[in-house]
Amino acid sequence: MPTPTAHVSAAAGDFAEAVLLPGDPLRAQHIAENHLENARQVTAVRNMLGFTGSYKGLPVSVMGTGMGIPSVSIYSHELITEYGVKKLVRVGSCGAVATNVALREVILATGACTDSRVNRRRYAGHDFAAVADFGLLRAAARAAEAQGVPLKAGLVHSADLFYEPLPDPFEPMKRMGVLAVEMECAGLYGLAAEHGVRAMALLTVSDQLVTGERTSSEERQSTFDAMVHVALEALVLDAG
Ligand code: HPA
């Protein structure tokens, strides 16, 4: 597939090796405008905005992924195979299903369980362990500690359905020590393994699904910015 690709209008070389991946394309624009230097827009197909700039001298791109495993997989696949992206860092939100995870906390998704079949498709029908890259995890843990941002590291569940029709969908997660539910990590980690590249996800807790608490939009923004700062500092540590 040459560049531009089916879903990305950037030219070859327009993306940095390291890309931050928020779900919302306007969050990608916010990161480009507030966290990167000399950022320029490189793609806007379907309004899925992507930008490339730098952070402390390190080339970094940021692009929206949309919601769910199919959407994140399409964009990430094209970034990896046609634009040479090697480090993919999801910066998203999640709903906590563990009682010891508080609203606004940042979760480092060490691995992702899922009800999606995508990784079984990749792994001859067997159960693939979709895990984050250890070097990126270590860098994120160090960056969070240096900035005084409390982190909880553990498993998330990547769900295909946001609106679950069955009763008590979180029971197996709670019983097995899964911290939170979101909709992309298992796809991203499986895809990274398939292509021999590195991936990690940082997620802020936007909803506490056990207590029913939710963050306000201002709280979401400030927690999100602290998390993006951790992700960028992690990329600097990892590159150094
Ligand atoms: N479910 C799935 N994904 C999410 C949620 C949720 O409740 N909250 C934030 N991302």
Side-chain angles (χ1 to χ4, degrees):
M1 199 193 302
T3 57
T5 60
H7 306 94
V8 182
S9 59
D14 269 349
F15 277 91
E17 275 197 12
V19 180
L20 297 188
L21 299 169
D24 178 351
L26 294 182
R27 281 257 156 95
Q29 183 167 32
H30 170 89
I31 292 169
E33 289 172 354
N34 294 282
H35 295 268
L36 299 184
E37 290 130 36
N38 302 315
R40 64 189 174 94
Q41 188 176 306
V42 294
T43 184
V45 179
R46 292 175 183 243
N47 290 319
M48 197 56 84
L49 306 175
F51 304 82
T52 296
S54 64
Y55 179 78
K56 296 191 174 172
L58 181 75
V60 176
S61 296
V62 55
M63 183 172 173
T65 65
M67 291 180 282
I69 288 175
S71 189
V72 73
S73 301
I74 288 169
Y75 295 109
S76 302
H77 180 103
E78 292 178 17
L79 291 178
I80 294 164
T81 61
E82 306 308 319
Y83 292 97
V85 170
K86 304 279 186 221
K87 300 179 196 178
L88 299 99
V89 178
R90 168 162 153 71
V91 282
S93 64
C94 62
V97 296
T99 49
N100 67 339
V101 176
L103 220 49
R104 302 184 62 185
E105 268 194 288
V106 177
I107 291 185
L108 186 53
T110 56
C113 315
T114 188
D115 47 68
S116 156
R117 288 185 52 82
V118 290
N119 290 330
R120 288 189 178 178
R121 294 275 305 276
R122 293 193 166 98
Y123 200 54
H126 308 309
D127 289 321
F128 183 76
V131 297
D133 177 78
F134 178 69
L136 290 175
L137 289 174
R138 183 172 51 181
R142 286 184 179 160
E145 193 170 345
Q147 282 162 55
V149 173
L151 264 192
K152 279 218 170 69
L155 295 178
V156 298
H157 180 99
S158 304
D160 270 351
L161 292 175
F162 185 88
Y163 297 107
E164 255 289 347
L166 299 180
D168 209 3
F170 308 133
E171 186 280 328
M173 305 174 202
K174 291 175 187 161
R175 190 162 36 78
M176 296 295 278
V178 172
L179 301 180
V181 57
E182 55 84 70
M183 302 187 74
E184 292 83 15
C185 283
L188 180 66
Y189 292 175
L191 183 74
E194 178 187 342
H195 293 281
V197 299
R198 303 167 64 202
M200 167 181 73
L202 291 163
L203 307 164
T204 62
V205 177
S206 57
D207 311 84
Q208 221 309 344
L209 298 172
V210 181
T211 63
E213 298 166 279
R214 314 192 62 182
T215 46
S216 69
S217 56
E218 304 86 72
E219 284 174 334
R220 269 204 286 279
Q221 194 61 55
S222 66
T223 318
F224 183 79
D225 282 325
M227 178 180 71
V228 166
H229 194 211
V230 169
L232 288 166
E233 288 290 328
L235 288 174
V236 170
L237 285 176
D238 184 70

